[in-house]
Amino acid sequence: QVQLVESGGGSVEAGGSLRLSCVVSERTFTTYTMGWFRQPPGKERDLVASITWSAGTPYYLDSVKGRFIISRDNAKNTVYLQMNSLKPEDTALYYCAAEPRGWGRYTYWGQGTQVTVSS
């Protein structure tokens, strides 16, 4: 069973920064597209950013473009989400997820890490 473990969440004031990390238990991590999702209270879960197995052009939700950066370190089986200039509307439970190559859907999920941004 593939396990994903997120860390790095917390509480910050608006304008602050956080870096989320997600460690994947399998070496096949190098073949996964990795995504970061978030779910604010009472709302649906949205894809915030994703990065392919080859670390090609990443995807970003429009509202985080220019503020968030997704990256991966295949040697450490880890994907990161650097979040800068945080806003109260970024408050959410953040999840990382893995899409095995060719599967077409995010199959493996972490438990989530809470990010709270105060004004």
Side-chain angles (χ1 to χ4, degrees):
Q1 181 69 21
V2 178
Q3 293 184 328
L4 285 68
V5 180
E6 303 102 332
S7 62
S11 297
V12 295
E13 293 185 350
S17 297
L18 287 172
R19 188 175 82 154
L20 305 184
S21 300
C22 174
V23 179
V24 180
S25 63
E26 297 290 327
R27 285 187 290 180
T28 47
F29 167 82
T30 60
T31 66
Y32 296 162
T33 289
M34 298 299 300
W36 283 99
F37 290 76
R38 70 185 182 188
Q39 186 167 21
K43 296 185 178 180
E44 294 186 351
R45 186 164 53 189
D46 290 323
L47 177 63
V48 174
S50 66
I51 186 167
T52 63
W53 63 273
S54 61
T57 303
Y59 161 84
Y60 293 103
L61 187 66
D62 282 347
S63 60
V64 308
K65 285 181 179 176
R67 300 189 296 122
F68 290 11
I69 301 171
I70 189 171
S71 62
R72 66 190 297 159
D73 185 338
N74 286 343
K76 296 182 178 180
N77 285 13
T78 302
V79 61
Y80 303 97
L81 186 67
Q82 177 67 43
M83 304 186 295
N84 301 319
S85 302
L86 283 161
K87 304 176 180 179
E89 51 264 42
D90 295 318
T91 294
L93 189 60
Y94 283 72
Y95 300 88
C96 72
E99 176 189 323
R101 195 191 313 174
W103 285 39
R105 60 184 175 89
Y106 286 94
T107 303
Y108 305 114
W109 294 82
Q111 293 300 306
T113 186
Q114 179 67 37
V115 172
T116 302
V117 184
S118 59
S119 58

